[in-house]
Amino acid sequence: MQRPYNFSAGPAAIPEEVLQMAAAEMLNWHGSGMSVMEMSHRGKEFISIAEKAEADFRKLLAVPDHFHILFMQGGGLAENAIVPLNLSRGGAVDFVVTGSWSQKSVKEAGKFCDAQTVASDEAQGFTHIPAAAGWKLRDSAQYVHICSNETINGVEFQELPDLATLGSKAPLVIDFSSHVASRPVEWSRVGLAFGGAQKNLGPAGLTLVVVRDDLLDHAMAACPSAFNYRLVADNQSMYNTPPTWGIYMAGLTFDWILRQREGALTGVAALEARNQAKAELLYRAIDGSQLYENRVAHDCRSRMNVPFFLKDESRNQAFLDGAKERGLLQLKGHKSVGGMRASIYNAMPLAGVQTLVDYMQTFEKQA
Amino acid sequence: MQRPYNFSAGPAAIPEEVLQMAAAEMLNWHGSGMSVMEMSHRGKEFISIAEKAEADFRKLLAVPDHFHILFMQGGGLAENAIVPLNLSRGGAVDFVVTGSWSQKSVKEAGKFCDAQTVASDEAQGFTHIPAAAGWKLRDSAQYVHICSNETINGVEFQELPDLATLGSKAPLVIDFSSHVASRPVEWSRVGLAFGGAQKNLGPAGLTLVVVRDDLLDHAMAACPSAFNYRLVADNQSMYNTPPTWGIYMAGLTFDWILRQREGALTGVAALEARNQAKAELLYRAIDGSQLYENRVAHDCRSRMNVPFFLKDESRNQAFLDGAKERGLLQLKGHKSVGGMRASIYNAMPLAGVQTLVDYMQTFEKQA
């Protein structure tokens, strides 16, 4: 039986193969007699799971050796505090605000450092990314923060800024929660990347932090030990008991990603091609219709999160009801913006987007 | 086929029924077409799971209405910082040190407040609980911290201290990570209780905090929002994306606990009776042998974590190898103390302890 297509913004769809494997191994992982959830995190079984997950993540995103990969807890909202606690030294930090998530980040950082918005698209309703040439970067900034994909507003950096060419020596911090592993990362431009796992990588409760080694040692005295990057790194992400199930599920997902093929492409490159095709199909359908609209500038539309509005809002509930009947789930937009949102992460096949587009066109004609 | 008996100190054994249910529902929870891991935490499906979990936990431990139950992340080590950030106001906090965990707690709290050890059994190797009459409690203390069961040292408070009778008005904070839900809690003596789920309640990555309402509003400015008890409480533990799978698994475990029967007893009372019987069986076998010893004073021995030593340490590896052959897993003691440790949490049946005791006696005779 065909499973429904799940467009949740996160926690989000997981590849069916991954779920099948998790169910099959639930009571007895690889002959150990234990569920993964029942293993000591310091035993050889779980250590092998964690080491493979880390190595596979490094491989699939080509993370250079001078970056540490940390498995942490608390999601993006916790990192909004944990990053400044580790990197700001209580000094200046610059934020580019392109939507709800970067707004939250600058507000939270203000508790720990001199957090300043150096560019914002709020006046245009978060439909553009402010041109980098206009960012008012400070020489004193300890780092510059961007949200490289805004889940709620559907705005994505198609290329990461190169701060060096903007005259800044600060490291770039990216919140890549909602598009991690959907496209390659230009690590030469990045100091630190963080993301909750619950969109593209696995279940909620696991956070990935990829941090350049020279940034590990600047934690403020007020940083809780469990969230001190140096301590987490030196203890192979086991300073405190890690979210073992989340690491296991992410590991199965990493393995799934590495096995993906699209023509001659493999892994993340294959997914990127598939994600481009999915996004083009959906945006084309929206732009070509009289009923639906997406307000984001074409050159910064997200490939992962596609918010759209029915010009006749009185039909919103009918749209959602009809979608659910056809097995198209969780399309309701975020409460702060309304309308609809289709999140089409890695686990969403092209066939799912095609089914949505077919439904949207049928629904439009019913008017 | 009989599953092995898993004596891990945590992450620890989960009732087989709970694992079976989790496997069966993996791809399609209650006809929703989604895995629990794929649900938006703000959708009606997951909210029903979280609400039932909270209500069942309140029921099984008889948590009074003037306490909030919070689902958080980071485990006990994170709470060692989060509790003082929320409750200390940067002032005096008193610690009773009865083993490795309370040692860690007082050390971490010292980063945020005037943390002082007011009683310690370190000189006796953590084999006793210092008599409450001798605790040097300060009038200025914002709270008094104890670890009500020390997982590594195997020391357990058989009764919670009544601070009022000791002349203190401070609330009592208990770290009950490793014996939560194994026995009732005298809530009239408690201000706040916290615990990682990975011993008695479910998978690692979920932390339970039970906090009296009047203690919610004292967070320090440096407390990250994601860990501010007031914000977490006001957002029904969804200020940030919660560890949805952990809450689901804990909910299945709560349901399992409520269904337990031991004669006329049900729920936690039934488990307490079973846990007493298991502990008595094991301690009697240790005390009656020439080979094994447990050094903890009889009146404060843990019912959950039973460390023991072979007087002939050269036989340690042979003991572990033979145990594993018989399906008795994860008996190696914590690296900081050596020897053996049998953690016999709620999910361990009496038959598992009997099998261990039989093996210990057979092994002793082989000398």
Side-chain angles (χ1 to χ4, degrees):
Chain A
M1 197 186 73
Q2 171 66 52
R3 294 187 83 213
Y5 293 114
N6 182 349
F7 295 90
S8 175
I14 290 174
E16 185 171 347
E17 280 174 66
V18 168
L19 294 173
Q20 297 277 13
M21 178 70 87
E25 296 182 338
M26 180 66 76
L27 276 89
N28 187 0
W29 182 84
H30 293 200
S32 66
M34 297 181 278
S35 170
V36 171
M37 285 180 277
E38 301 179 298
M39 293 174 183
S40 167
H41 54 297
R42 304 201 186 280
K44 69 177 174 7
E45 294 88 354
F46 184 73
I47 287 176
S48 76
I49 290 171
E51 286 181 347
K52 178 169 163 40
E54 185 184 325
D56 281 353
F57 185 78
R58 190 177 291 281
K59 184 174 172 187
L60 68 88
L61 274 182
V63 179
D65 285 343
H66 62 292
F67 284 78
H68 269 80
I69 296 168
L70 311 179
F71 296 123
M72 298 183 65
Q73 299 181 54
L77 275 179
E79 288 300 323
N80 282 344
I82 296 168
V83 174
L85 281 165
N86 276 279
L87 263 57
S88 76
R89 310 184 203 203
V93 180
D94 291 346
F95 288 79
V96 178
V97 174
T98 53
S100 303
W101 279 93
S102 39
Q103 269 185 321
K104 286 182 201 228
S105 297
V106 64
K107 187 175 172 206
E108 180 72 8
K111 299 171 69 165
F112 309 102
C113 61
D114 169 21
Q116 209 166 97
T117 299
V118 294
S120 170
D121 191 56
E122 188 171 8
Q124 299 192 76
F126 297 127
T127 52
H128 301 76
I129 290 173
W135 299 358
K136 297 187 171 57
L137 300 175
R138 292 177 287 178
D139 289 340
S140 58
Q142 296 295 322
Y143 63 92
V144 177
H145 176 116
I146 67 170
C147 177
S148 48
N149 184 67
E150 289 276 359
T151 322
I152 292 176
N153 307 87
V155 173
E156 183 172 13
F157 281 80
Q158 301 304 325
E159 189 181 12
L160 294 177
D162 185 351
L163 296 185
T165 66
L166 300 172
S168 167
K169 288 180 180 143
L172 178 69
V173 169
I174 66 172
D175 172 358
F176 67 172
S177 294
S178 55
H179 72 163
V180 53
S182 72
R183 57 196 302 158
V185 174
E186 298 130 300
W187 291 108
S188 65
R189 298 183 177 182
V190 174
L192 182 146
F194 70 85
Q198 68 268 21
K199 285 104 161 48
N200 260 337
L201 302 181
L206 171 66
T207 316
L208 266 89
V209 176
V210 185
V211 53
R212 217 171 59 202
D213 293 350
D214 62 294
L215 300 175
L216 285 170
D217 291 309
H218 308 307
M220 294 165 72
C223 182
S225 299
F227 305 120
N228 178 310
Y229 293 145
R230 168 53 73 191
L231 286 175
V232 176
D234 284 353
N235 289 278
Q236 291 77 48
S237 300
M238 296 197 191
Y239 179 79
N240 56 351
T241 308
T244 52
W245 176 260
I247 293 171
Y248 162 71
M249 287 296 298
L252 293 180
T253 305
F254 300 159
D255 203 65
W256 176 85
I257 294 173
L258 289 169
R259 283 185 278 111
Q260 297 308 295
R261 297 273 176 281
E262 217 41 75
L265 302 171
T266 63
V268 169
L271 287 170
E272 183 182 33
R274 200 181 295 164
N275 289 329
Q276 271 178 305
K278 284 151 51 184
E280 277 173 25
L281 176 62
L282 183 51
Y283 284 115
R284 202 162 50 229
I286 293 168
D287 293 340
S289 88
Q290 300 300 312
L291 179 60
Y292 311 105
E293 64 170 335
N294 170 285
R295 298 163 188 166
V296 179
H298 286 236
D299 62 354
C300 53
R301 283 175 163 182
S302 170
R303 292 178 189 162
M304 296 282 103
N305 307 100
V306 183
F308 59 95
F309 300 88
L310 275 61
K311 288 175 189 168
D312 177 0
E313 291 198 343
S314 72
R315 297 182 70 195
N316 279 357
Q317 194 55 51
F319 180 87
L320 289 167
D321 292 344
K324 191 167 181 184
E325 276 171 29
R326 283 160 186 78
L328 302 166
L329 304 181
Q330 307 204 77
L331 281 161
K332 192 171 180 179
H334 191 270
K335 60 184 175 183
S336 64
V337 292
M340 307 296 153
R341 176 173 47 171
S343 294
I344 50 177
Y345 298 121
N346 282 346
M348 175 63 62
L350 183 64
V353 178
Q354 185 64 60
T355 305
L356 172 62
V357 165
D358 292 346
Y359 166 64
M360 288 169 70
Q361 291 171 345
T362 304
F363 182 82
E364 183 170 358
K365 287 180 199 142
Q366 288 167 351
Chain B
M1 198 187 74
Q2 170 67 52
R3 294 188 84 215
Y5 292 115
N6 182 349
F7 295 90
S8 175
I14 290 174
E16 185 170 347
E17 279 174 66
V18 169
L19 294 172
Q20 297 276 14
M21 177 71 86
E25 296 182 337
M26 179 66 76
L27 276 89
N28 186 0
W29 182 84
H30 294 200
S32 67
M34 297 181 279
S35 170
V36 172
M37 284 180 277
E38 300 179 301
M39 293 174 183
S40 167
H41 54 296
R42 305 202 185 278
K44 67 176 177 3
E45 295 88 353
F46 184 73
I47 287 176
S48 76
I49 290 171
E51 286 180 348
K52 178 168 162 42
E54 185 183 327
D56 282 353
F57 185 77
R58 190 176 291 280
K59 183 173 171 189
L60 69 89
L61 274 182
V63 179
D65 284 342
H66 63 292
F67 284 78
H68 269 79
I69 296 168
L70 311 179
F71 296 123
M72 297 183 67
Q73 300 180 53
L77 275 180
E79 288 299 324
N80 282 345
I82 295 168
V83 175
L85 280 165
N86 276 279
L87 264 57
S88 76
R89 311 184 204 204
V93 180
D94 291 345
F95 288 79
V96 178
V97 174
T98 53
S100 303
W101 280 93
S102 40
Q103 269 185 322
K104 286 181 203 228
S105 297
V106 64
K107 187 175 171 205
E108 181 73 7
K111 299 171 68 167
F112 310 101
C113 62
D114 169 22
Q116 208 166 98
T117 298
V118 295
S120 170
D121 191 57
E122 188 171 8
Q124 298 190 78
F126 298 127
T127 53
H128 301 76
I129 290 174
W135 298 358
K136 296 185 171 57
L137 300 176
R138 291 177 288 177
D139 289 339
S140 58
Q142 297 294 324
Y143 64 91
V144 176
H145 176 115
I146 66 169
C147 177
S148 47
N149 184 66
E150 289 276 0
T151 321
I152 292 175
N153 308 86
V155 173
E156 183 172 12
F157 281 80
Q158 301 304 324
E159 189 181 12
L160 293 177
D162 184 351
L163 295 185
T165 66
L166 299 172
S168 168
K169 289 179 179 143
L172 178 70
V173 168
I174 66 171
D175 172 358
F176 67 173
S177 293
S178 54
H179 72 161
V180 53
S182 72
R183 58 195 303 160
V185 174
E186 300 130 300
W187 290 108
S188 65
R189 298 183 178 183
V190 173
L192 182 146
F194 70 85
Q198 67 268 20
K199 284 103 159 55
N200 259 338
L201 303 181
L206 171 66
T207 316
L208 267 89
V209 176
V210 185
V211 53
R212 217 171 59 201
D213 293 348
D214 63 294
L215 300 176
L216 285 169
D217 292 309
H218 309 306
M220 296 164 71
C223 182
S225 299
F227 306 120
N228 178 309
Y229 292 145
R230 167 54 72 189
L231 287 175
V232 176
D234 284 353
N235 289 279
Q236 291 76 47
S237 300
M238 297 198 191
Y239 180 78
N240 56 351
T241 309
T244 52
W245 177 260
I247 292 171
Y248 162 71
M249 287 296 299
L252 293 180
T253 305
F254 300 159
D255 202 66
W256 176 85
I257 293 173
L258 288 169
R259 283 184 277 113
Q260 297 308 296
R261 297 273 176 283
E262 213 50 69
L265 302 171
T266 62
V268 169
L271 286 171
E272 184 182 32
R274 200 182 295 165
N275 289 329
Q276 271 178 306
K278 283 150 53 183
E280 277 172 26
L281 175 61
L282 183 50
Y283 283 115
R284 204 162 49 229
I286 293 168
D287 292 341
S289 88
Q290 300 301 310
L291 179 61
Y292 310 106
E293 64 170 334
N294 170 286
R295 297 163 188 166
V296 179
H298 285 235
D299 62 354
C300 52
R301 282 174 163 182
S302 170
R303 292 178 189 161
M304 295 283 103
N305 308 99
V306 183
F308 59 95
F309 300 87
L310 275 62
K311 289 176 187 166
D312 177 0
E313 292 197 343
S314 72
R315 297 183 68 196
N316 279 358
Q317 194 55 50
F319 180 87
L320 289 168
D321 291 345
K324 190 167 182 186
E325 276 172 29
R326 282 160 186 79
L328 303 167
L329 305 182
Q330 307 204 78
L331 281 161
K332 193 171 179 178
H334 190 271
K335 61 185 174 183
S336 65
V337 293
M340 307 295 153
R341 175 171 50 170
S343 293
I344 50 178
Y345 298 121
N346 282 345
M348 175 62 62
L350 184 62
V353 179
Q354 185 64 58
T355 306
L356 171 61
V357 165
D358 291 346
Y359 166 64
M360 288 168 70
Q361 292 172 344
T362 305
F363 182 83
E364 183 171 358
K365 286 180 199 143
Q366 287 166 352

